[in-house]
Amino acid sequence: MEHEDVLRAASMYYLQDLKMEVIARHLGTSRSTVSRLIKRARETGIVEIHLRPGRTRAPGLSQTIARRYGIEAYVAPVADSATELERLDQVAVTTARLVSSWFDHDMVMGIAWGTTLAAIGRRLTPKPTRGSAVVQLNGAANTRTSGIEYASDLISGFGAAFDASVHHFPVPAFFDFPETKAAMWRERSVQRVLDVQRRADIALFGVGALTGGLPSHVYSAGYLDGADVDLLHREGVVGDVCTVFLRADGSYEDIALNDRATGPTPAELRHVGRRVCAVAGDHKVVPLRAALAAGVVTDLVIDELTAEALVAGPVP
């Protein structure tokens, strides 16, 4: 019954342009109840609101990026004066909507924690599914804090939104020694999570940037010490995907710190059918180009200003 009331209230408000007082009389209820029903219509996706700035370049940019890189591109329109946080929020809104449309029953979604993914998680609307799972793609513990609570809350939020089972990955973001990682990867508890990762239908991640703009979580929350960061600069690293470091040309195999990283490599990510990368901010352009060169992206969600900076660069 409530679903019918939500639909009727939303139809009268958005399609017939009736005021809430008039709708309340039609439904035999109060204005506050009508307000709640209309809010519910937005939260459940019965009503979707899209802002279309009159001078947006988004459609043309989407086509240019898709043609240049051979991927699907979704450009979120933003004002030229938009702040970094506003750009991130628009990307989060768009990504949350797309992921909700793609993720369904009996599917597995892999999540790489980070600043962008946290913003997306805050913008999810509930969509109950059956037999689905959400799995953490990279470890979270570090030497300064456990890091586990941050990643656990993020992954659990995605699981709650889709009524999916949740598989946490209780290992460090980076091991101190490659040998320790190799030993842990033989443990059955770790192998179980790795197996769920390998069955992912969708992988959702951002790109980490070494410098500039809103700090990427891996570089700002105690995961790397000064010596590690210096080494990354000497190695020519420009950023990371799933805590695996990349050079500008997309190479990663001979970067020493990657032997200690717990996230999937680009080669492993490429086994996932749909690989969704969400990016906002000019400082993310260089690591994004590296991710595109590594072939890890099938679907890119990007804000309009960052998209302009991306296409202004050299053609690969």
Side-chain angles (χ1 to χ4, degrees), residues 16-313:
Q16 300 176 41
D17 200 26
L18 298 180
K19 295 185 180 299
M20 289 191 187
E21 292 82 356
V22 177
I23 299 172
R25 288 199 297 271
H26 276 289
L27 298 181
T29 188
S30 65
R31 186 187 185 282
S32 62
T33 298
V34 171
S35 177
R36 181 182 61 79
L37 292 172
I38 292 171
K39 180 182 179 182
R40 182 66 175 161
R42 294 194 299 269
E43 292 174 342
T44 58
I46 291 175
V47 170
E48 292 186 356
I49 299 174
H50 303 284
L51 299 179
R52 302 186 184 278
R55 299 180 59 187
T56 180
R57 286 88 66 193
L61 289 167
S62 295
Q63 294 169 9
T64 299
I65 294 171
R67 184 170 59 250
R68 180 178 296 186
Y69 293 100
I71 62 174
E72 295 294 327
Y74 307 86
V75 177
V78 295
D80 289 345
S81 59
T83 66
E84 293 260 331
L85 282 172
E86 290 168 339
R87 292 159 68 176
L88 175 61
D89 188 57
Q90 286 304 306
V91 166
V93 169
T94 302
T95 308
R97 177 174 54 83
L98 288 168
V99 168
S100 292
S101 70
W102 293 328
F103 190 63
D104 217 324
H105 308 304
D106 301 314
M107 295 181 70
V108 176
M109 177 162 52
I111 303 291
W113 52 260
T115 304
T116 304
L117 270 293
I120 295 168
R122 291 191 292 269
R123 286 298 194 167
L124 291 172
T125 55
K127 177 191 175 181
T129 58
R130 297 187 306 275
S132 62
V134 171
V135 61
Q136 181 178 333
L137 288 178
N138 47 337
N142 63 61
T143 57
R144 186 183 303 171
T145 65
S146 74
I148 293 173
E149 183 177 353
Y150 165 82
S152 177
D153 288 348
L154 194 160
I155 305 302
S156 295
F158 276 83
F162 296 107
D163 199 17
S165 63
V166 174
H167 300 269
H168 298 290
F169 199 21
V171 296
F174 302 96
F175 286 99
D176 288 335
F177 306 101
E179 299 82 6
T180 310
K181 174 185 171 181
M184 284 295 295
W185 257 228
R186 293 194 295 270
E187 292 291 325
R188 285 178 294 176
S189 60
V190 172
Q191 288 183 357
R192 181 190 63 80
V193 180
L194 293 173
D195 179 64
V196 180
Q197 292 178 4
R198 284 189 285 267
R199 292 189 283 110
D201 301 282
I202 299 173
L204 179 58
F205 52 89
V207 294
L210 228 57
T211 58
L214 294 172
S216 297
H217 197 80
V218 69
Y219 306 108
S220 64
Y223 290 92
L224 302 170
D225 59 27
D228 289 333
V229 174
D230 289 342
L231 178 59
L232 292 178
H233 283 298
R234 291 197 301 274
E235 293 266 20
V237 167
V238 297
D240 73 278
V241 170
C242 302
T243 61
V244 173
F245 300 107
L246 305 174
R247 298 188 183 92
D249 62 0
S251 62
Y252 65 93
E253 295 93 337
D254 59 340
I255 296 172
L257 264 65
N258 285 341
D259 292 335
R260 296 159 39 199
T262 56
T265 66
E268 291 167 332
L269 266 182
R270 287 194 291 268
H271 289 290
V272 180
R274 189 186 292 274
R275 307 181 296 276
V276 186
C277 182
V279 177
D282 295 345
H283 64 298
K284 296 291 185 78
V285 171
V286 172
L288 172 57
R289 288 198 183 109
L292 292 165
V296 298
V297 181
T298 62
D299 296 81
L300 174 64
V301 187
I302 187 170
D303 73 272
E304 187 172 348
L305 300 181
T306 307
E308 286 189 319
L310 175 65
V311 302

